[in-house]
Amino acid sequence: MKITKVETLEIELDGVKATTTWRPVFARVYTDEGITGMGEVGMTFGAGAVAAGPMIRDLAKRFVLGKDPHDTETIWETMLRRSFWAQGGGPVVFGAMSAIDAALWDIKGKVAGLPVHRLLGAETPAEPLRCYASQLHFGWEEEHRTLDDPAAYLEAAQMARSQGYDCVKVCPICIPPKGQKTRKRGGFGPAERKLARARMEAVREGIGPDADIIIELNGITSAVGAVQLSELLTDLDILYVEEATHYNSPDAHVRVSQRAPIKMATGERLYTRWGFLPYLQAGSIDMIQPDMGLVGGISEGMKIAHLAHAFDVGVQAHICGSPLATAIALQFEAAIPNFEIHEHHSFCLKSFNKELFEEDLQPVDGRITVPTAPGFGMTLSKDAEKRMEKAEVVLK
Ligand code: MG
């Protein structure tokens, strides 16, 4: 079996009911036997998604065309060693490698007639996976909102709880209060602490005592601010604090983890096993959050999960992308021994995102079923495909 073509597909959805950036980027790999596979880059939001497509095509042209899609380890290692830039990293090169790697696993699954988690040696989970409703500060509904008033946080938490979720994630400081334009770093003053506290008390009230809360900080906080918020909110029985500091200094994260009274989760902007290693060695991380569209794909995600397993640390895949990103993460989560909880992002509720694929992967009573169709089991919508920008590299 030989790879004959690699195509990139992307769709600009900025401002389409979303008040944030949203540009899913996909790789579709073709073979001489007519079987195709798809993967996704984890750069849907933020700046830089436009860089991912050209990187996919350049890596494909140099290292993927003409190869057998079953040889995922060899292809991955070749991209790492011979692209020059992967030995140094970043989201563009590892995002591109991730999308290619996932597409190859999709093909391998289709050839074998098995879902990817079974190719990875795991039986299908007997029960659906526990989910949390992620990013409640954007509302928990079709409309994308930025919640300010604590009463709105109460309502969003009640909505998630009424749907059966027993865990939610929310940022107490990501949405600046009315009239304020920027979010500040450094320590928080009395008014900011009061608002953060009121929002999180509302969330606790909304979900009740028998549910978990994860606090999202998005790396916005400095070390001192993260410790301050952790102390302020710890009596609300918080499961984890996520991205307490930015990733440019693993040492800052060590300091926060030593001083904050809440367990730490992070990892959506770390790449490969080497990116996670210093956090694990320092003991500054209690749950890792690798993104299958950024860490290097399924092949590298498995190595990262097992590395964390050696440190007795659990895993939640970070997911913020199209329905394909959810499908890829579910296969990974079903295959690892240290799965903790599945992230169901508020963007998974938006029709402009859901309609990109025919399958709609939604939890029931806060639990999500792992698909068992071959590969990732996803079908790109024909209507959505017509609206996508495409480019390709072909085996000569
Ligand atoms: Mg996050």
Side-chain angles (χ1 to χ4, degrees):
M1 194 175 208
K2 203 189 274 188
I3 296 165
T4 53
K5 182 166 95 172
V6 176
E7 184 180 43
T8 53
L9 304 94
E10 32 199 310
I11 182 161
E12 184 61 75
L13 293 169
D14 277 16
V16 183
K17 289 193 183 172
T19 55
T20 181
T21 55
W22 199 254
R23 187 182 178 88
V25 179
F26 305 101
R28 184 156 59 189
V29 174
Y30 293 73
T31 61
D32 58 351
E33 294 183 22
I35 295 176
T36 63
M38 274 188 84
E40 180 170 349
V41 179
M43 293 178 75
T44 315
F45 53 97
V50 290
M55 183 55 101
I56 290 170
R57 298 194 298 276
D58 208 29
L59 289 174
K61 188 174 77 182
R62 289 162 191 263
F63 311 117
V64 180
L65 291 177
K67 297 287 191 300
D68 187 319
H70 292 90
D71 302 337
T72 40
E73 286 296 319
T74 311
I75 292 169
W76 199 93
E77 193 69 14
T78 305
M79 291 191 287
L80 179 82
R81 300 289 168 200
R82 294 185 51 207
S83 63
F84 192 88
W85 299 111
Q87 295 191 102
V92 176
V93 65
F94 284 119
M97 286 170 65
S98 298
I100 291 169
D101 179 79
L104 302 183
W105 278 101
D106 196 21
I107 291 170
K108 292 205 279 188
K110 288 173 182 173
V111 171
L114 292 171
V116 171
H117 68 269
R118 294 210 49 217
L119 277 188
L120 293 166
E123 65 181 16
T124 302
E127 304 288 335
L129 307 184
R130 185 190 184 199
C131 301
Y132 67 84
S134 180
Q135 315 293 348
L136 285 194
H137 47 285
F138 294 138
W140 193 249
E141 57 200 286
E142 162 69 16
E143 191 192 345
H144 182 78
R145 299 166 64 201
T146 50
L147 307 186
D148 181 2
D149 190 19
Y153 285 72
L154 176 84
E155 234 173 76
Q158 281 174 333
M159 175 69 80
R161 191 73 177 116
S162 72
Q163 292 169 2
Y165 291 93
D166 62 3
C167 186
V168 299
K169 183 166 84 188
V170 57
C171 178
I173 50 137
C174 291
I175 312 300
K178 277 184 197 77
Q180 197 178 302
K181 289 263 178 335
T182 53
R183 303 174 294 201
K184 64 177 272 238
R185 290 180 61 78
F188 293 93
E192 292 160 318
R193 294 201 300 271
K194 196 174 165 195
L195 180 63
R197 174 83 198 175
R199 285 172 172 177
M200 294 313 298
E201 281 178 357
V203 170
R204 175 50 80 196
E205 190 187 333
I207 62 162
D210 301 321
D212 285 314
I213 299 174
I214 300 170
I215 290 181
E216 169 74 280
L217 292 178
N218 280 131
I220 295 166
T221 38
S222 59
V224 67
V227 173
Q228 211 182 7
L229 285 176
S230 299
E231 288 171 345
L232 179 72
L233 303 170
T234 185
D235 67 307
L236 296 174
D237 193 13
I238 307 298
L239 190 60
Y240 294 107
V241 167
E242 173 174 323
E243 289 198 305
T245 63
H246 64 83
Y247 295 90
N248 296 324
S249 167
D251 289 339
H253 201 264
V254 172
R255 203 159 90 248
V256 174
S257 72
Q258 287 169 344
R259 293 171 60 193
I262 304 176
K263 294 187 290 302
M264 294 283 142
T266 198
E268 66 185 73
R269 285 175 269 185
L270 293 175
Y271 315 97
T272 75
R273 68 205 94 155
W274 298 285
F276 283 86
L277 186 59
Y279 288 82
L280 292 163
Q281 284 177 317
S284 71
I285 193 165
D286 300 295
M287 180 175 76
I288 62 164
Q289 300 173 307
D291 190 314
M292 290 305 103
L294 289 169
V295 293
I298 289 272
S299 299
E300 190 63 11
M302 291 301 290
K303 296 180 179 74
I304 293 165
H306 283 277
L307 179 67
H309 198 35
F311 287 87
D312 211 10
V313 167
V315 180
Q316 168 239 301
H318 172 260
I319 304 159
C320 184
S322 88
L324 181 60
T326 295
I328 293 170
L330 281 171
Q331 294 300 321
F332 161 73
E333 290 175 329
I336 58 175
N338 45 348
F339 164 75
E340 289 272 334
I341 194 163
H342 175 85
E343 174 170 25
H344 203 62
H345 198 281
S346 68
F347 274 85
C348 296
L349 310 179
K350 316 299 182 203
S351 54
F352 70 83
N353 197 36
K354 290 196 287 189
E355 69 195 16
L356 298 176
F357 285 81
E358 286 178 15
E359 296 78 10
D360 185 16
L361 305 173
Q362 297 294 331
V364 175
D365 290 333
R367 302 288 186 272
I368 191 161
T369 299
V370 176
T372 53
F376 299 124
M378 297 300 283
T379 319
L380 185 65
S381 145
K382 291 215 164 40
D383 286 345
E385 187 175 342
K386 280 183 206 145
R387 293 184 283 127
M388 290 181 178
E389 297 169 31
K390 292 188 202 175
E392 63 185 34
V393 289
V394 182
L395 181 66
K396 300 234 165 68

